[in-house]
Short mmCIF file of all heavy atoms in Angstrom, two decimals:
data_model
loop_
_atom_site.label_atom_id
_atom_site.label_comp_id
_atom_site.label_asym_id
_atom_site.label_seq_id
_atom_site.Cartn_x
_atom_site.Cartn_y
_atom_site.Cartn_z
N ALA U 4 0.86 -1.15 -0.03
CA ALA U 4 0.06 -0.03 0.01
C ALA U 4 0.92 1.27 -0.06
O ALA U 4 0.50 2.27 -0.63
CB ALA U 4 -0.90 -0.03 1.26
N THR U 5 1.96 1.27 0.69
CA THR U 5 2.77 2.40 0.67
C THR U 5 3.57 2.67 -0.52
O THR U 5 3.62 3.78 -1.06
CB THR U 5 3.89 2.23 1.77
OG1 THR U 5 3.31 2.00 3.11
CG2 THR U 5 4.84 3.33 2.03
N VAL U 6 4.02 1.49 -1.16
CA VAL U 6 4.66 1.67 -2.51
C VAL U 6 3.64 2.26 -3.55
O VAL U 6 4.01 3.05 -4.35
CB VAL U 6 5.18 0.30 -3.01
CG1 VAL U 6 5.75 0.39 -4.47
CG2 VAL U 6 6.36 -0.11 -2.00
N ALA U 7 2.35 1.72 -3.48
CA ALA U 7 1.34 2.21 -4.41
C ALA U 7 1.18 3.60 -4.19
O ALA U 7 0.82 4.39 -5.08
CB ALA U 7 0.17 1.29 -4.28
N SER U 8 1.04 4.07 -2.89
CA SER U 8 0.87 5.51 -2.55
C SER U 8 2.03 6.43 -3.04
O SER U 8 1.68 7.54 -3.59
CB SER U 8 0.61 5.67 -1.00
OG SER U 8 -0.43 4.89 -0.59
N CYS U 9 3.21 5.98 -2.96
CA CYS U 9 4.36 6.66 -3.42
C CYS U 9 4.22 6.77 -4.96
O CYS U 9 4.73 7.89 -5.46
CB CYS U 9 5.59 6.05 -2.95
SG CYS U 9 5.87 6.15 -1.20
N ALA U 10 3.91 5.70 -5.55
CA ALA U 10 3.83 5.76 -7.01
C ALA U 10 2.77 6.71 -7.52
O ALA U 10 2.98 7.52 -8.56
CB ALA U 10 3.50 4.39 -7.54
N CYS U 11 1.54 6.76 -6.87
CA CYS U 11 0.59 7.76 -7.23
C CYS U 11 1.02 9.21 -6.92
O CYS U 11 0.78 10.12 -7.72
CB CYS U 11 -0.73 7.48 -6.39
SG CYS U 11 -1.50 5.84 -6.88
N LEU U 12 1.73 9.31 -5.78
CA LEU U 12 2.19 10.81 -5.44
C LEU U 12 3.22 11.25 -6.46
O LEU U 12 3.38 12.44 -6.75
CB LEU U 12 2.77 10.65 -4.02
CG LEU U 12 3.28 12.04 -3.38
CD1 LEU U 12 2.11 13.08 -3.37
CD2 LEU U 12 3.91 11.81 -2.06
N SER U 13 3.92 10.34 -7.17
CA SER U 13 5.04 10.78 -7.97
C SER U 13 4.45 11.12 -9.40
O SER U 13 5.29 11.40 -10.27
CB SER U 13 6.06 9.57 -8.02
OG SER U 13 6.67 9.40 -6.79
N ILE U 14 3.19 10.99 -9.60
CA ILE U 14 2.66 11.13 -11.01
C ILE U 14 2.84 12.53 -11.50
O ILE U 14 3.05 12.82 -12.73
CB ILE U 14 1.13 10.72 -11.01
CG1 ILE U 14 0.99 9.24 -10.92
CG2 ILE U 14 0.50 11.13 -12.31
CD1 ILE U 14 -0.47 8.68 -10.77
N TYR U 15 2.91 13.48 -10.49
CA TYR U 15 3.13 14.80 -10.92
C TYR U 15 4.43 15.09 -11.79
O TYR U 15 4.49 15.93 -12.55
CB TYR U 15 3.14 15.79 -9.72
CG TYR U 15 4.55 15.79 -8.92
CD1 TYR U 15 5.51 16.70 -9.17
CD2 TYR U 15 4.89 14.79 -8.05
CE1 TYR U 15 6.74 16.69 -8.58
CE2 TYR U 15 6.10 14.75 -7.43
CZ TYR U 15 7.01 15.71 -7.68
OH TYR U 15 8.30 15.67 -7.07
N VAL U 16 5.45 14.16 -11.56
CA VAL U 16 6.65 14.26 -12.27
C VAL U 16 6.41 14.16 -13.75
O VAL U 16 7.11 14.85 -14.60
CB VAL U 16 7.67 13.15 -11.76
CG1 VAL U 16 8.99 13.26 -12.61
CG2 VAL U 16 7.98 13.37 -10.36
N VAL U 17 5.59 13.37 -14.22
CA VAL U 17 5.23 13.15 -15.57
C VAL U 17 4.83 14.53 -16.17
O VAL U 17 5.03 14.70 -17.48
CB VAL U 17 4.20 12.03 -15.91
CG1 VAL U 17 3.89 11.84 -17.33
CG2 VAL U 17 4.69 10.70 -15.18
N VAL U 18 4.17 15.27 -15.53
CA VAL U 18 3.62 16.56 -15.95
C VAL U 18 4.73 17.66 -15.89
O VAL U 18 4.80 18.51 -16.90
CB VAL U 18 2.42 16.97 -15.19
CG1 VAL U 18 1.82 18.26 -15.67
CG2 VAL U 18 1.33 15.85 -15.26
N VAL U 19 5.46 17.78 -14.92
CA VAL U 19 6.32 18.98 -14.67
C VAL U 19 7.74 18.81 -15.33
O VAL U 19 8.44 19.78 -15.45
CB VAL U 19 6.38 19.30 -13.12
CG1 VAL U 19 5.08 19.50 -12.50
CG2 VAL U 19 7.15 18.10 -12.40
N TYR U 20 8.13 17.58 -15.62
CA TYR U 20 9.33 17.45 -16.25
C TYR U 20 9.30 17.17 -17.70
O TYR U 20 8.35 16.66 -18.16
CB TYR U 20 10.13 16.12 -15.63
CG TYR U 20 10.95 16.37 -14.33
CD1 TYR U 20 10.21 16.36 -13.12
CD2 TYR U 20 12.24 16.78 -14.42
CE1 TYR U 20 10.92 16.69 -11.89
CE2 TYR U 20 12.92 16.97 -13.27
CZ TYR U 20 12.30 16.94 -12.07
OH TYR U 20 13.01 17.13 -10.85
N ASP U 21 10.32 17.74 -18.47
CA ASP U 21 10.36 17.57 -19.88
C ASP U 21 11.74 17.74 -20.43
O ASP U 21 12.67 18.29 -19.72
CB ASP U 21 9.49 18.66 -20.53
CG ASP U 21 8.81 18.26 -21.85
OD1 ASP U 21 9.36 17.14 -22.40
OD2 ASP U 21 7.85 18.84 -22.34
N ALA U 22 11.94 17.23 -21.69
CA ALA U 22 13.23 17.35 -22.18
C ALA U 22 13.38 18.55 -23.14
O ALA U 22 12.32 18.93 -23.78
CB ALA U 22 13.45 16.02 -23.15
N PHE U 23 14.55 19.32 -23.16
CA PHE U 23 14.73 20.47 -23.94
C PHE U 23 15.97 20.20 -24.74
O PHE U 23 17.09 20.49 -24.29
CB PHE U 23 14.86 21.63 -23.03
CG PHE U 23 13.72 22.02 -22.22
CD1 PHE U 23 13.51 21.44 -20.90
CD2 PHE U 23 12.68 22.83 -22.66
CE1 PHE U 23 12.37 21.80 -20.10
CE2 PHE U 23 11.50 23.09 -21.83
CZ PHE U 23 11.37 22.54 -20.70
N PRO U 24 15.82 19.78 -25.95
CA PRO U 24 16.98 19.47 -26.84
C PRO U 24 17.89 20.76 -27.11
O PRO U 24 19.11 20.47 -27.10
CB PRO U 24 16.29 19.07 -28.20
CG PRO U 24 14.90 18.51 -27.80
CD PRO U 24 14.54 19.45 -26.65
N GLN U 25 17.31 21.83 -27.27
CA GLN U 25 18.13 22.99 -27.42
C GLN U 25 19.07 23.38 -26.44
O GLN U 25 20.29 23.61 -26.61
CB GLN U 25 17.33 24.24 -27.87
CG GLN U 25 16.54 24.06 -29.25
CD GLN U 25 15.60 25.26 -29.47
OE1 GLN U 25 15.49 26.24 -28.68
NE2 GLN U 25 14.99 25.28 -30.64
N ALA U 26 18.62 23.22 -25.14
CA ALA U 26 19.37 23.42 -23.99
C ALA U 26 20.14 22.20 -23.56
O ALA U 26 20.93 22.25 -22.60
CB ALA U 26 18.48 23.93 -22.89
N ARG U 27 19.82 21.05 -24.11
CA ARG U 27 20.37 19.84 -23.76
C ARG U 27 20.23 19.42 -22.22
O ARG U 27 21.13 19.20 -21.54
CB ARG U 27 21.91 19.79 -24.07
CG ARG U 27 22.20 19.93 -25.56
CD ARG U 27 23.64 19.79 -25.79
NE ARG U 27 24.20 18.41 -25.55
CZ ARG U 27 23.95 17.37 -26.32
NH1 ARG U 27 23.34 17.45 -27.47
NH2 ARG U 27 24.36 16.16 -26.01
N GLN U 28 18.97 19.55 -21.85
CA GLN U 28 18.64 19.31 -20.39
C GLN U 28 17.34 18.57 -20.22
O GLN U 28 16.44 18.71 -21.16
CB GLN U 28 18.44 20.73 -19.69
CG GLN U 28 19.73 21.46 -19.50
CD GLN U 28 19.55 22.70 -18.63
OE1 GLN U 28 18.45 23.20 -18.48
NE2 GLN U 28 20.59 23.18 -18.02
N CYS U 29 17.19 17.81 -19.14
CA CYS U 29 15.91 17.27 -18.78
C CYS U 29 15.60 17.81 -17.46
O CYS U 29 16.18 17.34 -16.47
CB CYS U 29 16.15 15.75 -18.70
SG CYS U 29 14.61 14.84 -17.96
N THR U 30 14.63 18.77 -17.53
CA THR U 30 14.40 19.54 -16.15
C THR U 30 12.97 19.96 -16.14
O THR U 30 12.20 19.53 -16.94
CB THR U 30 15.42 20.75 -16.20
OG1 THR U 30 15.22 21.39 -14.94
CG2 THR U 30 15.03 21.74 -17.40
N LEU U 31 12.62 20.74 -15.16
CA LEU U 31 11.32 21.19 -14.94
C LEU U 31 10.89 22.09 -16.10
O LEU U 31 11.81 23.00 -16.48
CB LEU U 31 11.17 21.86 -13.60
CG LEU U 31 11.45 20.94 -12.31
CD1 LEU U 31 11.79 21.71 -11.18
CD2 LEU U 31 10.21 20.06 -12.08
N ASN U 32 9.66 22.14 -16.42
CA ASN U 32 9.19 22.90 -17.62
C ASN U 32 8.54 24.20 -17.26
O ASN U 32 8.13 24.98 -18.13
CB ASN U 32 8.20 22.06 -18.47
CG ASN U 32 7.16 21.54 -17.74
OD1 ASN U 32 6.79 22.00 -16.68
ND2 ASN U 32 6.60 20.46 -18.23
N SER U 33 8.42 24.55 -15.98
CA SER U 33 7.72 25.90 -15.55
C SER U 33 7.97 26.07 -14.06
O SER U 33 8.55 25.25 -13.38
CB SER U 33 6.26 25.74 -15.71
OG SER U 33 5.75 24.73 -14.86
#
């Protein structure tokens, strides 16, 4: 149950992180 909760809590990462080829970075997008 704890691992499932941590997996759900980490879903925000899929939204806030992105790749930026011009800057050659994988970082927060806003």
